[in-house]
């Protein structure tokens, strides 16, 4: 006869936090969201700590090098997706690590033989107007000119007009050597009233662009997460099949932390992967593992040597593992049990292994609940897929701007390595994810700031100003179905609903 749990499997929406005493010091400006990313011993500090408790999911539709840089600017870490070739993933990691705050590698490039139609298409795709014109149409080709919105007028020019006819040519541009420092570049920009300054090497090839707008943006990112060389901290996903080839390539590319991407972490395959990393690199390469939903799963991965452990099976918005296979657990229940196991392990061994809540976040307040339940940080997919910086297409469907979002277990992703159980079939027998859209939400910076202000405000309501105190002092209550209804707007006619129905 199977073992039965006495308590039901619960989700975040079934809980509320009880307010605590709010002292004069409990204001959002005083709240620290710093949290450990990888394990550490009692009395020591984590080798890598996050400035915000957010990491992005290891998904094709979420985490590429663009989002990795954007999230690192805010103080979090992106795990670049591993369901691509080893060479392509390593290249993404290398690009993100090579990115310097203020020094931009041009991602909008054309040749002089391109047309105005190509310009307009690129502006629509990239959402900015500065296009480098190079001999080979790449971001590091020989610079021949620049096109901005001031160089053309759609109403007066045919879309077949060649770029060479309206670009600002190199001889009319102010440029600087590739060795120019950020301060020197900004001085040139201000002196000559430029919007951008191309930096070129001794062969005339474009190396970077420095933008006027980035000067203030750099000053506005005091939380940015940097390594000892002032580069952004970048994560990368791996699987349990080609790790002997993928891990060295990602380490060589500069990845700061790895994470095994799997729907079920309680397996011999994850232990084999961690064993390989420990034998080859010792503790110098940090690797997270998962996913698990109970104490046994946590203890298995902790003993295997994981640097952090992900919690959650089947709770993602695009995940249908529970529907297809009947396995999983409500995210809140899973997190509460694994957090207790984490604390027991710490008491027994003196080693603190951070846990990551992966899935089940529907509303911003769920983030605070997850942290209060014991999560050290959160892995988010749908949340980040909505932003400008995610790698998917922005579309206009039924009067609404959306972005594409698909699961790694969908036929579109074909990430069979994530779900393989050692058979090495090189294919998905059935889907465990869906292909969908999410409503477009704009830039990552603005949305993350708003969400985390809610988290900080709620923490102040609970009388705490840091995550460890929230985990220690929070009081929670299970809510009934009736009180869930009571918690939203009810028994009124909303003005925006009435006006939209006319």
């Amino acid at each position: 006869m199977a073992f039965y749990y006495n308590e039901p499997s619960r989700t975040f929406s079934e809980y509320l936090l009880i307010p605590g005493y709010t002292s004069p010091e409990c204001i959002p400006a005083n709240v620290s969201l710093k949290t450990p990313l990888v394990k550490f011993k009692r009395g020591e500090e984590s080798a890598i700590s996050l400035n915000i408790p957010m990491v992005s999911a290891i998904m094709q539709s979420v985490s590429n090098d663009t989002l990795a840089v954007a999230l690192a600017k805010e103080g979090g870490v992106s795990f670049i997706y591993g369901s691509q070739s080893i060479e392509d993933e390593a290249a993404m990691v290398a690009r993100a690590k090579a990115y310097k705050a203020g020094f931009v590698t041009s991602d909008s490039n054309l040749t002089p033989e391109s047309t105005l139609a190509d310009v307009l298409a690129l502006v629509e795709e990239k959402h900015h107007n500065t296009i480098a014109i190079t001999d080979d149409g790449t971001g590091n080709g020989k610079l021949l000119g620049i096109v901005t919105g001031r160089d053309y007028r759609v109403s007066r020019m045919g879309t077949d007009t060649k770029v060479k006819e309206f670009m600002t040519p190199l001889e009319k541009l102010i440029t600087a050597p590739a060795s120019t420092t950020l301060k020197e570049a900004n001085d040139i920009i201000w002196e000559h009233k430029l919007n951008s300054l191309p930096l070129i090497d001794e062969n005339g090839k474009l190396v970077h662009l420095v933008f006027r707008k980035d000067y203030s943006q750099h000053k506005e990112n005091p939380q940015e997460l940097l390594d000892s060389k002032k580069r952004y901290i970048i994560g990368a996903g791996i699987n349990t099949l080609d790790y002997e080839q993928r891990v060295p390539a990602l380490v060589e590319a500069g990845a700061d932390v790895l994470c095994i991407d799997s729907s079920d972490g309680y397996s011999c395959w994850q232990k084999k992967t961690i064993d390989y990393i420990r034998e080859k690199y010792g503790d110098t390469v940090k690797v997270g593992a998962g996913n698990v939903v109970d104490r046994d799963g946590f203890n298995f991965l902790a003993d295997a040597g994981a640097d952090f452990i992900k919690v959650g099976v089947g709770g993602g918005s695009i995940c249908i593992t529970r529907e297809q296979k009947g396995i999983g657990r409500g995210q809140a229940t899973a997190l509460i049990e694994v957090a207790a196991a984490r604390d027991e392990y710490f008491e027994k061994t003196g080693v603190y292994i951070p846990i990551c809540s992966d899935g089940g976040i529907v509303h911003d307040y769920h983030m605070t609940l997850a942290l209060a339940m014991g999560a050290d940080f959160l892995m988010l997919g749908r949340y980040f897929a909505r932003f400008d910086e995610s790698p998917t297409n922005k579309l206009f469907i039924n009067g609404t701007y959306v972005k594409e979002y698909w699961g790694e277990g969908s036929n579109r992703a074909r990430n069979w390595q994530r779900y393989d159980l050692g058979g090495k079939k090189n294919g998905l027998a059935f889907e465990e994810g869906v292909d969908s859209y999410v409503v477009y939400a704009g830039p990552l910076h603005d949305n993350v700031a708003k969400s985390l202000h809610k988290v900080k405000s709620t923490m102040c309501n609970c009388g705490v100003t840091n995550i460890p105190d929230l985990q220690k002092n929070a009081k929670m209550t299970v809510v009934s179905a009736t009180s869930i209804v009571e918690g939203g707007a009810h028994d009124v006619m909303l003005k925006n609903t009435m006006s939209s129905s006319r």
Side-chain angles (χ1 to χ4, degrees), residues 143-164:
L143 184 65
L144 302 176
I146 292 284
V147 169
T148 71
R150 295 178 298 179
D151 293 312
Y152 58 87
R153 292 186 67 178
V154 178
S155 61
R156 295 189 179 185
M157 298 167 59
T159 55
D160 59 348
T161 306
K162 294 290 183 69
V163 164
K164 63 184 177 183

Side-chain angles (χ1 to χ4, degrees), residues 114-431:
S114 302
T115 65
L116 177 58
D118 297 322
V119 170
L120 298 177
L122 201 53
V123 170
E124 175 66 21
E125 177 188 350
K126 299 295 185 179
H127 309 295
H128 55 74
N129 290 304
T130 301
I131 299 174
I133 309 303
T134 61
D135 60 343
D136 59 2
T138 69
N140 57 6
K142 188 173 182 179
L143 184 65
L144 302 176
I146 292 284
V147 169
T148 71
R150 295 178 298 179
D151 293 312
Y152 58 87
R153 292 186 67 178
V154 178
S155 61
R156 295 189 179 185
M157 298 167 59
T159 55
D160 59 348
T161 306
K162 294 290 183 69
V163 164
K164 63 184 177 183
E165 297 180 30
F166 60 88
M167 71 181 186
T168 301
L170 178 62
E171 57 267 24
K172 292 186 179 181
L173 293 174
I174 294 174
T175 65
S179 59
T180 303
T181 67
L182 185 59
K183 182 182 184 305
E184 291 169 343
N186 281 311
D187 287 343
I188 295 171
I189 286 173
W190 286 99
E191 180 183 350
H192 295 277
K193 299 180 180 179
L194 305 174
N195 286 323
S196 65
L197 176 69
L199 303 185
I200 57 178
D201 65 16
E202 63 275 9
N203 298 314
K205 291 190 173 184
L206 179 63
V207 179
H208 290 115
L209 293 169
V210 179
F211 290 90
R212 173 188 288 263
K213 63 181 178 64
D214 285 344
Y215 177 78
S216 58
Q217 288 181 359
H218 177 55
K219 296 296 183 182
E220 291 170 2
N221 294 319
Q223 293 278 81
E224 59 187 1
L225 202 62
L226 304 172
D227 65 16
S228 59
K229 296 180 180 178
K230 304 298 182 184
R231 301 173 302 179
Y232 289 123
I233 288 180
I234 305 297
I238 61 173
N239 63 64
T240 58
L241 293 174
D242 65 10
Y243 55 86
E244 293 186 19
Q245 296 78 41
R246 191 173 295 268
V247 170
L250 296 176
V251 171
E252 177 68 22
D256 298 280
V257 57
L258 307 175
C259 185
I260 302 172
D261 183 27
S262 173
S263 63
D264 177 17
Y266 194 180
S267 75
C268 60
W269 316 114
Q270 294 225 354
K271 185 178 186 306
K272 286 180 64 177
T273 304
I274 298 171
D275 285 346
Y276 164 80
I277 292 172
R278 294 293 173 247
E279 289 168 9
K280 184 173 178 65
Y281 299 101
D283 291 328
T284 61
V285 170
K286 308 301 182 185
V287 57
N291 288 18
V292 299
V293 293
D294 65 358
R295 177 178 278 98
D296 292 342
F298 172 87
N299 286 330
F300 173 79
L301 290 178
D303 291 340
D307 286 294
F308 66 84
I309 295 172
K310 289 202 297 162
V311 181
V313 171
S317 61
I318 41 70
C319 183
I320 54 173
T321 293
R322 297 179 192 175
E323 183 179 351
Q324 292 281 58
K325 298 171 71 173
I327 64 168
R329 199 176 194 186
Q331 188 66 11
T333 300
L335 188 55
I336 290 169
E337 180 172 326
V338 173
R342 184 264 324 273
D343 294 344
E344 291 167 5
Y345 191 89
F346 179 55
E347 286 300 315
K348 181 175 69 174
T349 66
V351 176
Y352 187 93
I353 304 176
I355 58 174
C356 169
S357 179
D358 179 16
I361 301 292
V362 180
H363 306 290
D364 285 350
Y365 82 89
H366 288 169
M367 297 181 188
T368 321
L369 283 170
L371 296 171
M373 290 174 180
D376 295 283
F377 56 97
L378 320 170
M379 178 168 278
L380 304 160
R382 179 194 62 85
Y383 179 86
F384 288 117
R386 305 172 300 146
F387 302 150
D388 287 325
E389 295 84 356
S390 75
T392 62
N393 296 318
K394 177 185 172 185
L395 306 171
F396 191 67
I397 297 178
N398 296 329
T400 301
Y401 281 105
V402 298
K403 294 204 76 176
E404 295 178 293
Y405 180 47
W406 59 91
E408 290 296 294
S410 68
N411 275 326
R412 181 170 184 174
R414 305 300 300 171
N415 185 6
W416 64 272
Q417 297 95 329
R418 188 177 198 274
Y419 302 91
D420 182 72
L421 296 177
K424 301 185 179 181
K425 301 175 191 174
N426 199 24
L428 284 171
F430 54 89
E431 287 186 286

